[in-house]
Amino acid sequence: MRAIIQRVSSASVTVESKTISEIQNGLLILLGIEDADGPEDIEWLSRKIVNLRIFNDSEGVMNESLKAVNGDAIVVSQFTLHAATKKGNRPSYIKASKPDVAIPLYEKFITQIELDLGKNVGTGVFGADMKVQLLNDGPVTIAIDTKNRE
């Protein structure tokens, strides 16, 4: 499971000209799922994201977590995070899970992060053509892969 997390001052997801999720201070989480992912990846990644100390404290030092600042989050499915670009110029997405595997894991991740954060989170629409707008704060952008947690 791969995630790109971006600390944002604001973010929104629009589908077919309708805004379906919108937040202010928090994280935009782009989530890529592969067949090897399971419940342990979901739990570890959710806890890591919610507790990652990337928000400024009163001294301006990145020392506070999403949970500590009571920030919001949007989770957007992003199969392109598993793009293989070693050969040629056209990315291959063979490692990205098909919807029958990815959708249940995506939904379980959303449920887990809501439990860990203690509030509802915004989402995208799986498989839809989404327009994601954000104002990256910092900028702070971090990539996390559950296969590299050791």
Side-chain angles (χ1 to χ4, degrees):
M1 195 167 277
R2 290 183 182 162
I4 302 295
I5 59 172
Q6 297 180 305
R7 187 178 76 179
V8 298
S9 297
S10 63
S12 64
V13 178
T14 303
V15 177
E16 296 179 2
S17 301
K18 181 179 177 188
T19 300
I20 58 166
S21 294
E22 189 170 22
I23 64 169
Q24 296 305 309
N25 183 46
L27 295 176
L28 173 65
I29 304 162
L30 305 175
L31 184 69
I33 298 167
E34 63 179 320
D35 289 347
D37 294 330
E40 65 283 349
D41 296 292
I42 291 168
E43 292 169 11
W44 182 86
L45 184 59
S46 176
R47 280 192 311 270
K48 177 63 85 174
I49 290 171
V50 167
N51 293 301
L52 202 60
R53 294 171 24 191
I54 59 172
F55 290 86
N56 293 347
D57 63 15
S58 60
E59 303 294 319
V61 177
M62 286 196 292
N63 203 30
E64 299 287 346
S65 68
L66 180 65
K67 192 169 187 172
V69 300
N70 196 30
D72 294 315
I74 295 177
V75 181
V76 176
S77 176
Q78 180 99 30
F79 76 93
T80 60
L81 292 181
H82 287 289
T85 58
K86 190 173 183 177
K87 293 182 181 179
N89 293 317
R90 183 175 182 184
S92 168
Y93 304 106
I94 197 159
K95 285 187 72 176
S97 290
K98 302 288 187 257
D100 61 319
V101 171
I103 291 172
L105 291 174
Y106 172 67
E107 290 172 349
K108 287 177 185 172
F109 180 80
I110 292 165
T111 299
Q112 185 65 54
I113 205 159
E114 287 178 335
L115 286 171
D116 291 339
L117 189 56
K119 62 167 68 176
N120 291 336
V121 301
T123 65
V125 174
F126 192 95
D129 179 22
M130 295 175 274
K131 306 303 178 203
V132 179
Q133 194 167 29
L134 69 128
L135 180 57
N136 193 318
D137 182 17
V140 175
T141 301
I142 297 175
I144 304 173
D145 190 323
T146 62
K147 304 307 183 252
N148 297 329
R149 61 181 157 197
E150 300 287 324

